[in-house]
């Protein structure tokens, strides 16, 4: 489930940059390829999904990931059961994204939007209702797009063998 959500989000980001680049071709400058890459590192026990889509600004990270982090997935699910949750959130980046915590202790999201000079790093730990956002200390490693790294739980075993890239 979590991997399908991440790939779906990446695909949406590619669609958005492709659409916006029709009227603003400069958005593709320096990085014309549209791609999604998935990497598994058995030694570090990480799974990374990287796309060259539209990316997110600082405010996008707060809006798309922070809302669910602050309210908590559990509270959201309780509100769903009570019928008071905003059903419009289903399928949006954030709600499905939190399924990553089924397999990860920590999730980091690096993102670079073409309108921003800064690449940001978002991080949250499983079980916490808070997150951190800061300038990525690595600088601009993406050019444009988003990189989601799942730091897998110690007891997580993939259903299918994964090989390192």
């Amino acid at each position: 489930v979590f991997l399908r959500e991440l790939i779906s989000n990446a695909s949406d980001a590619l669609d958005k940059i492709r659409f916006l680049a029709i009227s603003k071709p400069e958005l593709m400058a320096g990085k014309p390829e549209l791609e999604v890459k998935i990497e598994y590192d058995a030694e570090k026990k990480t799974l990374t999904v990287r796309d060259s889509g539209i990316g997110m600004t600082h405010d996008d990270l707060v809006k798309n990931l922070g809302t669910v982090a602050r309210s908590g997935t559990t509270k959201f699910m309780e509100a769903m059961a009570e019928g008071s949750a905003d059903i419009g959130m289903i399928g949006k980046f954030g709600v499905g994204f939190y399924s990553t915590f089924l397999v990860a202790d920590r999730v980091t999201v690096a993102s670079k939007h073409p309108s921003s000079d800064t690449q940001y790093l978002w991080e949250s730990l499983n079980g916490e209702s808070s997150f951190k956002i800061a300038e990525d200390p690595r600088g601009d490693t993406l050019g444009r797009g988003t990189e989601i790294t799942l730091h897998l739980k110690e007891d997580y075993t993939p259903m299918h063998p994964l090989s390192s890239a």
Side-chain angles (χ1 to χ4, degrees):
V1 171
F2 72 93
L3 192 54
R4 183 197 70 79
E5 289 293 336
L6 296 180
I7 293 169
S8 177
N9 290 339
S11 176
D12 290 347
L14 294 176
D15 288 344
K16 189 167 185 179
I17 192 72
R18 184 182 299 117
F19 176 76
L20 292 173
I22 292 169
S23 60
K24 294 183 175 182
E26 65 274 12
L27 292 175
M28 301 293 285
K31 192 168 182 95
E33 63 277 342
L34 295 174
E35 60 190 3
V36 176
K37 292 183 178 181
I38 302 170
E39 298 172 5
Y40 175 68
D41 186 323
E43 193 173 302
K44 291 181 181 175
K45 205 153 172 141
T46 60
L47 180 66
T48 302
V49 177
R50 186 178 300 109
D51 70 66
S52 59
I54 189 68
M56 291 182 275
T57 64
H58 179 279
D59 291 346
D60 292 336
L61 287 166
V62 170
K63 179 182 170 193
N64 295 334
L65 300 180
T67 302
V68 177
R70 276 194 299 271
S71 65
T73 305
T74 303
K75 288 181 184 176
F76 179 77
M77 295 307 285
E78 288 170 358
M80 288 271 302
E82 294 170 5
S84 62
D86 178 5
I87 302 301
M89 286 182 72
I90 299 296
K92 296 203 175 172
F93 196 98
V95 176
F97 168 80
Y98 273 83
S99 65
T100 59
F101 285 111
L102 295 171
V103 298
D105 285 327
R106 178 170 57 108
V107 177
T108 56
V109 178
S111 200
K112 170 72 174 67
H113 190 278
S115 71
S116 175
D117 292 333
T118 306
Q119 178 172 304
Y120 290 98
L121 190 63
W122 177 98
E123 181 180 65
S124 186
L125 302 175
N126 195 352
E128 292 190 2
S129 61
S130 63
F131 60 92
K132 299 175 199 168
I133 299 178
E135 288 189 22
D136 193 330
R138 302 172 300 171
D140 182 2
T141 61
L142 297 171
R144 179 191 71 241
T146 300
E147 173 186 87
I148 301 170
T149 302
L150 310 182
H151 303 267
L152 301 170
K153 294 178 179 181
E154 274 305 311
D155 61 351
Y156 177 72
T157 305
M159 292 179 70
H160 299 288
L162 298 171
S163 61
S164 295

